[in-house]
């Protein structure tokens, strides 16, 4: 174990950031809004001047197939020696061959390959070659024609999609020929690790290609390190069978402590936890975790089936350990009994659980994984986590796991690092195997056994705990050899193709999505990708990555930028709309107004940016509104509603942010004397009728319930009819509802004309100014608004409304069927 593996992360609890301080998440430049590749179809409105025509600029692409290595058990790889890029280095669209190229093992052959891969396939040079290559790609990728129909600007990169799809298909074929198919291949946890046999014996198996010898020790043999040696097999595998006792009782009972002993080629004796360990604990003041043989006599029996995949996804992002108001680590039991009912009451239909995979450092927010198959023991037992998921299913709530396959902790005593005494077991050797900003190890996705390990890990969480899908962490770092470090993704398509793309990692993600959706067709996968790679959320059959959603990571940055750098009267309505609607057609996004990183000490949540210290003194209903609290409560509701209504095809909220939690999140560490005081969520504040937190909580609840009724997240993208800079008004229609926002800090408007698609009588169905939401009750909800055939802002009909300052309204045309 290295001391660095225990240090406090640099940012966001993960020890990582893809951007310099103060820079926007995508642009990499301070003051610029983050953006994704331009939408290829369906703009926010046909007259929107902010949306450039087309879907991005033409760029460069690899033009020849990658050089492939030998077959199984080593995978074909597109990895090339020249791809060890420094974090700050940008890959130019066309670069001269590096000076060191002739020294590469493949010499001129590889040099020529680099030159060819620097340019995209275009019809300008030789039209007949272009057509032949395009037709070949269309023939190899079953539904590539559909992707290119959606986004014709991707045609120059058809060969890239072809190569990616063929590599994916070839690996699936290799798995079928050598392992009996991906179904069997992804069941590695059934043989690797330690298992009780039907006869009472014990079967053990590990992959340790760099080891000189492997042994099993523990309580069962008095910790004799060499009494039970493993037998060496091919391809770096080792196995051991221990017969039962004479009375047929198990040799290693449930709850016993175990260790794998590795003798390295250098003569070291290493005590390790099996990578396949299903339960590990840290007792007392111990620094390292202990491996516990988890083999209870009776396993948990699930009582409820998985809910059907919801048409609209409303995600409540949760951390079990901080879910209590007490200054301690909360338990699975506490979350099940106390938090699940709150989530259900708030109208969320999905929970995204973070920090479940075991992590030695609590303050890493669960992103420095040490044991990939072990549910964190700091919250309770595996059965208690299974009960949590089962109870959520009984409430109609699906549960996603925040899975971390982008990197692993550097810990060696209780992690994967240096498992067999070498730095190349599970990870790339040398600099390529280390992420400097995250201080963690990077997987070798081209390794056959790494693929077995990670795909089996996916299946384990799906089947053993019945999770309904995954949020894949750190996808941007996986997709590129530069890991997104120092990159300002502009949306130029050349940034997403070529040598900078780690196609081994991309192929793994395709395999993972294929496995997830094959095992559970209703499962959901979400990519945490800041780059906006085209087709990442398109079907694999189109050459895409296969994800269902990507996180709209530009949106929270936009709100932070506005609150930090602009006066309310200087907010740009067009810029807000552009950020909320700038997403790829038919690639779904999860919108969120603020991230879990903002809740951490050193950053600020929306409520903190808006109200800051006055939250501690002026949130009582017994005291009059101060200007700061009034502004904060009204804008908090408006920001969340417009993000919910306009920002994507799903919505996410981090626990406590829905009511403006008044404390930052600070995990116990040396800097705070290991205190748990700020590692908590004070849900009880919303139950106090004398506090204004209840107003924000009520609004969040009713916003979600209204979406459940009308389904705007599942509806086509909104038609934005107005974004008036002087009036600070935004109006749009989605799912048959009319959304109106007046962001002006002081001006209210009577008889304000708003365009709409159809004539009819409109009624208010949500009003942020209502008393139950801490508003000023300036609107009469019994009022009927009638639209007439009067064209306005490109809409055939319009109506007149009263829209007070800092108010959001949703109107329903009651003449239309619900």
């Amino acid at each position: 174990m290295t001391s660095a593996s225990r240090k406090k992360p640099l940012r966001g609890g993960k020890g990582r950031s893809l951007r310099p301080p103060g820079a926007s998440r995508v642009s990499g430049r301070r003051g610029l809004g983050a953006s994704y590749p331009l939408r290829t179809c369906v703009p926010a409105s046909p007259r929107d001047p902010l949306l450039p025509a087309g879907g991005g600029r033409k760029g460069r692409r690899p033009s020849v197939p990658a050089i492939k290595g030998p077959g199984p058990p080593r995978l074909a790889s597109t990895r090339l020696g020249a791809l060890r890029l420094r974090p700050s280095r940008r890959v130019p669209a066309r670069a001269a061959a590096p000076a060191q190229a002739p020294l590469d093992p493949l010499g001129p052959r590889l040099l020529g390959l680099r030159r060819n891969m620097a340019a995209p396939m275009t019809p300008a040079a030789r039209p007949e070659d272009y057509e032949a290559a395009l037709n070949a790609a269309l023939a190899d990728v079953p539904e590539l024609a559909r992707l290119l129909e959606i986004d014709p600007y991707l045609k120059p990169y058809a060969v890239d999609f072809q190569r990616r799809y063929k590599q994916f298909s070839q690996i699936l074929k290799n798995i079928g020929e050598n392992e009996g198919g991906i179904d069997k291949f992804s069941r590695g946890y059934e043989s690797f690790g330690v298992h009780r046999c039907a006869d009472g014996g014990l079967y053990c198996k590990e992959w340790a290609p760099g080891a000189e010898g492997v042994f099993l020790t523990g309580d069962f043999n008095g910790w004799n390190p060499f009494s039970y040696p493993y037998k060496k097999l091919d391809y770096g595998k080792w196995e051991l069978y221990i017969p039962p006792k004479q009375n047929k009782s198990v040799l290693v009972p449930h709850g016993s402590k175990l260790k794998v002993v590795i003798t390295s080629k250098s003569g070291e004796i290493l005590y390790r936890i099996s990578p396949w360990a299903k339960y590990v604990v840290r007792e007392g003041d111990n620094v390292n975790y202990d491996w516990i043989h988890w083999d209870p006599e009776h396993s948990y029996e699930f009582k409820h089936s998985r809910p059907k995949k919801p048409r609209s996804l409303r995600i409540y992002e949760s951390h079990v350990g901080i879910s209590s108001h007490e200054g301690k680590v909360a338990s699975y039991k506490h979350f099940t009994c106390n938090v699940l009912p709150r989530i259900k009451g708030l109208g969320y239909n999905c929970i995204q659980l973070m920090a479940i995979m075991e992590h030695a450092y609590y303050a890493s927010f669960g992103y420095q994984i040490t044991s990939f198959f072990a549910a964190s023991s700091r919250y309770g037992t595996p059965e208690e986590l299974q009960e949590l998921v089962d109870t959520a299913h009984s409430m109609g709530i699906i549960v996603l796991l925040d899975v971390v396959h982008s990197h692993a902790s550097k810990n060696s005593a209780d992690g994967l690092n240096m498992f067999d005494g070498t730095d190349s077991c599970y990870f790339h050797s040398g600099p390529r195997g280390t992420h400097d900003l995250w201080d963690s190890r990077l997987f070798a996705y081209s390794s056959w056994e790494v693929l077995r390990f990670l795909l089996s890990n996916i299946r384990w969480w799906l089947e053993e705990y019945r999770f309904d899908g995954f949020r894949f962490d750190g996808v941007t770092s996986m997709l590129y050899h530069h890991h997104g470090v120092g990159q300002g993704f502009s949306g130029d398509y050349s940034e997403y193709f070529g040598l900078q793309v780690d196609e081994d990692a991309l192929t793994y993600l395709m395999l993972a999505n294929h496995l997830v959706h094959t095992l559970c067709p209703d499962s959901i996968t979400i990519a945490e990708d800041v780059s906006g790679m085209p087709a990442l959320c398109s079907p694999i059959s189109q050459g895409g990555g296969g994800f269902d959603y990507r996180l709209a990571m530009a949106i929270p940055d936009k709100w932070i930028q506005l609150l930090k750098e602009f006066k309310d009267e200087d907010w740009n309505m067009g810029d807000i709309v552009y950020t909320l609607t700038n997403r790829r057609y038919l690639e779904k996004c999860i919108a969120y107004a603020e991230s879990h990183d903002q809740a951490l000490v050193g950053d600020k949540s929306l409520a903190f940016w808006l109200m800051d210290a006055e939250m501690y003194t002026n949130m009582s209903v017994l005291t009059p509104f101060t200007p700061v609290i009034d502004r904060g409560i009204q804008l908090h509701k408006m920001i969340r509603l417009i993000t919910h209504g306009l920002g994507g095809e799903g919505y996410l909220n981090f626990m406590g942010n829905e009511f403006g939690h008044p404390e930052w999140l600070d995990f116990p560490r040396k800097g705070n004397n290991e205190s748990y005081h700020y590692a908590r969520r004070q849900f009880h504040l919303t139950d106090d009728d004398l506090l204004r937190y209840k107003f924000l909580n009520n609004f969040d609840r009713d916003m979600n319930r209204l979406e459940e009724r009308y389904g705007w997240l599942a509806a086509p993208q909104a038609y934005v009819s107005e974004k008036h800079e002087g009036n600070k008004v935004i109006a749009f229609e989605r799912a048959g509802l009319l959304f109106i926002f007046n962001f002006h800090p002081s001006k209210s408007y009577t008889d304000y004309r708003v365009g709409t698609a159809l004539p009819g009588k409109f009624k208010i169905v949500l009003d942020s100014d209502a008393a139950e939401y801490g508003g000023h009750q300036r609107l009469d909800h019994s009022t009927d608004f009638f639209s007439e055939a009067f064209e306005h802002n490109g809409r055939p009909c319009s109506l007149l409304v009263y829209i007070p300052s800092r108010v959001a309204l949703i109107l329903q045309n009651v003449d239309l069927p619900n």
Side-chain angles (χ1 to χ4, degrees):
M1 178 192 68
T2 63
S3 59
S5 64
R6 301 295 190 196
K7 71 182 182 181
K8 187 177 185 297
L10 301 174
R11 183 183 183 274
K14 303 183 189 183
R16 57 184 176 81
S17 172
L18 296 181
R19 55 186 173 142
S24 69
R25 202 180 285 269
V26 178
S27 69
R29 292 168 290 184
R30 184 177 178 85
L32 294 180
S35 64
Y36 294 105
L38 305 177
R39 290 171 296 153
T40 59
C41 301
V42 191
S45 78
R47 300 166 56 184
D48 191 339
L50 289 173
L51 300 177
R57 294 179 299 221
K58 296 180 181 179
R60 310 295 183 189
R61 61 135 190 108
S63 60
V64 294
I67 296 174
K68 297 184 181 293
R74 295 179 63 191
L75 293 180
S77 171
T78 59
R79 197 172 73 251
L80 302 177
L83 298 185
R84 292 189 286 272
L85 304 181
R86 291 186 293 273
S88 62
R89 177 179 172 187
R90 285 294 299 271
V91 179
R94 182 186 293 275
Q100 70 272 22
L103 301 178
D104 291 341
L106 295 178
R109 179 185 175 193
L110 185 54
L111 178 58
L113 174 62
R114 288 198 193 95
R115 285 172 175 164
N116 288 332
M117 293 185 74
M121 178 181 68
T122 64
R126 298 184 62 181
E128 64 276 11
D129 291 346
Y130 172 82
E131 289 299 326
L134 179 59
N135 290 334
L138 292 170
D140 286 338
V141 185
E143 299 179 15
L144 179 59
R146 174 58 178 153
L147 178 65
L148 301 184
E149 176 189 356
I150 295 168
D151 187 355
Y153 286 89
L154 288 174
K155 280 188 178 180
Y157 306 97
V159 174
D160 294 79
F161 290 109
Q162 176 192 32
R163 185 182 59 256
R164 294 172 181 179
Y165 183 81
K166 288 179 73 174
Q167 181 169 331
F168 160 78
S169 300
Q170 184 61 48
I171 293 176
L172 269 186
K173 181 181 177 182
N174 291 345
I175 289 173
E177 293 174 350
N178 293 276
E179 300 281 353
I182 196 169
D183 180 75
K184 183 178 178 181
F185 186 64
S186 60
R187 295 177 182 269
Y189 52 82
E190 294 181 355
S191 58
F192 285 84
V194 175
H195 301 273
R196 175 163 48 92
C197 303
D199 64 358
L202 210 65
Y203 180 75
C204 314
K205 190 175 182 181
E206 298 295 343
W207 179 61
E212 189 68 26
V214 180
F215 306 84
L216 186 70
T217 188
D219 294 335
F220 75 100
N221 71 342
W223 294 97
N224 184 328
F226 304 121
S227 60
Y228 287 95
Y230 285 63
K231 175 185 175 183
K232 188 173 184 178
L233 306 175
D234 292 336
Y235 305 119
K237 298 172 188 174
W238 303 75
E239 72 173 1
L240 166 67
Y241 173 73
I242 305 176
K245 296 180 180 179
Q246 289 184 349
N247 61 4
K248 301 297 181 181
S249 64
V250 294
L251 182 66
V252 180
H254 169 65
S256 301
K257 292 182 181 180
L258 296 173
K259 280 289 175 77
V260 174
V261 179
I262 302 286
T263 56
S264 71
K265 296 188 184 301
S266 62
E268 292 180 284
I269 299 175
L270 309 170
Y271 286 79
R272 296 289 189 248
I273 292 176
S274 170
W276 304 82
K278 299 175 176 63
Y279 193 64
V280 296
V281 299
R282 183 162 59 194
E283 298 179 345
D285 295 329
N286 291 350
V287 174
N288 297 322
Y289 273 73
D290 291 314
W291 172 20
I292 303 298
H293 179 54
W294 199 256
D295 186 23
E297 183 177 356
H298 301 289
S299 58
Y300 181 82
E301 294 185 10
F302 286 88
K303 306 173 184 64
H304 307 281
S305 59
R306 300 176 188 266
K308 291 183 178 180
K309 185 177 182 178
R311 63 168 187 166
S312 298
L313 199 59
R314 302 181 300 276
I315 304 172
Y316 196 83
E317 186 181 20
S318 304
H319 186 295
V320 170
I322 65 170
S323 62
S324 169
H325 69 276
E326 300 178 71
K328 65 178 185 179
V329 178
S331 66
Y332 295 124
K333 281 281 189 184
H334 171 85
F335 192 94
T336 301
C337 298
N338 298 284
V339 182
L340 280 181
R342 288 186 180 273
I343 296 171
K344 177 66 175 178
L346 284 169
Y348 291 91
N349 57 14
C350 175
I351 301 170
Q352 180 179 297
L353 286 179
M354 60 192 305
I356 294 297
M357 302 165 73
E358 191 60 89
H359 48 291
Y361 184 40
Y362 189 40
S364 73
F365 229 165
Y367 291 108
Q368 294 283 358
I369 306 301
T370 44
S371 291
F372 283 74
F373 286 82
S376 182
S377 60
R378 54 172 56 88
Y379 317 131
T381 66
E383 289 74 25
E384 289 167 344
L385 174 58
Q386 290 168 326
E387 182 186 28
L388 187 162
V389 175
D390 198 22
T391 304
H393 286 170
S394 75
M395 298 177 174
I397 299 173
I398 65 172
V399 187
L400 306 181
L401 176 69
D402 196 344
V403 68
V404 185
H405 283 181
S406 52
H407 62 122
S409 168
K410 270 190 173 179
N411 289 18
S412 56
D414 52 9
L416 281 184
N417 190 27
M418 306 288 290
F419 173 69
D420 65 352
T422 72
D423 71 343
S424 58
C425 186
Y426 291 101
F427 308 108
H428 291 294
S429 181
R432 191 182 175 191
T434 301
H435 196 300
D436 293 331
L437 286 184
W438 299 354
D439 193 35
S440 55
R441 297 303 313 276
L442 299 174
F443 286 104
Y445 300 104
S446 61
S447 165
W448 190 262
E449 293 303 325
V450 170
L451 279 185
R452 187 199 308 275
F453 180 79
L454 294 177
L455 291 174
S456 297
N457 190 237
I458 290 290
R459 185 172 193 143
W460 168 257
W461 294 107
L462 278 178
E463 298 201 338
E464 183 72 11
Y465 292 92
R466 296 201 181 177
F467 281 96
D468 302 289
F470 303 93
R471 178 255 198 198
F472 281 76
D473 177 70
V475 168
T476 304
S477 176
M478 298 174 70
L479 290 176
Y480 306 98
H481 292 287
H482 52 59
H483 307 301
V485 177
Q487 301 299 306
F489 292 102
S490 67
D492 188 312
Y493 279 12
S494 64
E495 297 169 343
Y496 309 110
F497 303 94
L499 290 172
Q500 63 263 42
V501 177
D502 186 340
E503 293 195 349
D504 292 332
L506 178 55
T507 302
Y508 162 67
L509 291 172
M510 295 169 71
L511 288 165
N513 278 303
H514 170 76
L515 177 66
V516 168
H517 293 109
T518 299
L519 294 174
C520 303
D522 278 348
S523 58
I524 292 169
T525 58
I526 302 171
E528 188 208 26
D529 172 43
V530 71
S531 75
M533 174 178 277
L536 187 64
C537 298
S538 297
I540 294 172
S541 59
Q542 295 180 7
F547 284 98
D548 296 294
Y549 298 86
R550 63 156 44 96
L551 292 177
M553 301 178 73
I555 295 175
D557 280 350
K558 175 53 61 179
W559 293 123
I560 292 174
Q561 181 197 34
L562 290 174
L563 293 171
K564 284 178 64 175
E565 301 177 14
F566 294 90
K567 298 177 181 178
D568 293 2
E569 56 268 28
D570 294 332
W571 285 17
N572 187 302
M573 300 295 103
D575 193 26
I576 292 172
V577 169
Y578 177 78
T579 302
L580 290 170
T581 59
N582 181 31
R583 53 189 183 270
R584 292 184 57 79
Y585 179 51
L586 297 183
E587 293 191 46
K588 295 186 287 187
C589 286
I590 303 293
Y592 55 115
E594 50 189 328
S595 70
H596 58 235
D597 288 351
Q598 290 171 240
L600 289 167
V601 64
D603 210 331
K604 289 185 178 182
S605 66
L606 283 181
F608 257 116
W609 280 114
L610 289 164
M611 296 177 280
D612 210 36
E614 287 205 23
M615 282 197 293
Y616 298 116
T617 57
N618 295 315
M619 288 296 278
S620 170
V621 298
L622 301 179
T623 61
F625 263 136
T626 66
V628 169
I629 295 298
D630 187 14
R631 170 183 179 264
I633 286 180
Q634 310 317 326
L635 285 180
H636 192 275
K637 294 177 290 185
M638 295 181 72
I639 288 171
R640 297 173 75 80
L641 179 58
I642 196 170
T643 301
H644 204 308
L646 193 58
E649 291 71 36
Y651 178 76
L652 179 143
N653 168 70
F654 178 65
M655 64 189 313
N657 286 348
E658 70 275 9
F659 65 87
H661 194 276
E663 287 180 346
W664 57 82
L665 179 59
D666 192 11
F667 289 96
R669 53 188 174 85
K670 289 183 179 179
N672 64 12
N673 294 319
E674 304 295 338
S675 171
Y676 286 84
H677 179 74
Y678 292 109
R680 60 177 182 163
R681 298 280 94 174
Q682 300 187 69
F683 291 109
H684 64 284
L685 296 176
T686 65
D687 301 327
D688 191 332
D689 283 338
L690 297 180
L691 295 177
R692 293 188 166 107
Y693 297 104
K694 65 179 180 179
F695 298 141
L696 300 179
N697 196 72
N698 292 344
F699 185 79
D700 196 75
R701 176 199 64 206
D702 291 350
M703 175 177 66
N704 283 322
R705 290 180 178 178
L706 192 66
E707 197 288 324
E708 173 68 22
R709 180 179 173 188
Y710 291 99
W712 62 69
L713 290 171
Q717 194 162 325
Y719 185 99
V720 178
S721 61
E722 181 165 349
K723 40 186 185 294
H724 197 290
E725 299 302 340
N727 296 338
K728 301 301 176 191
V729 171
I730 295 172
F732 61 88
E733 295 163 278
R734 193 175 187 187
L737 299 174
L738 177 59
F739 294 71
I740 309 171
F741 295 80
N742 179 6
F743 280 97
H744 203 286
S746 59
K747 289 184 179 179
S748 300
Y749 306 103
T750 57
D751 292 336
Y752 195 92
R753 187 168 293 278
V754 179
T756 184
L758 297 170
K761 182 174 73 173
F762 286 75
K763 299 285 289 186
I764 296 173
V765 291
L766 187 66
D767 168 20
S768 69
D769 204 39
E772 60 265 37
Y773 310 138
H776 298 287
Q777 308 174 62
R778 288 169 285 180
L779 288 159
D780 182 357
H781 290 195
S782 65
T783 303
D784 296 331
F785 303 91
F786 293 93
S787 65
E788 54 185 330
F790 187 93
E791 190 275 340
H792 183 71
N793 283 344
R795 306 308 270 161
C797 302
S798 60
L799 54 91
L800 299 176
V801 297
Y802 170 49
I803 177 71
S805 60
R806 285 187 180 141
V807 165
L809 290 177
I810 301 181
L811 304 179
Q812 177 204 1
N813 189 335
V814 297
D815 289 345
L816 298 178
N818 182 8

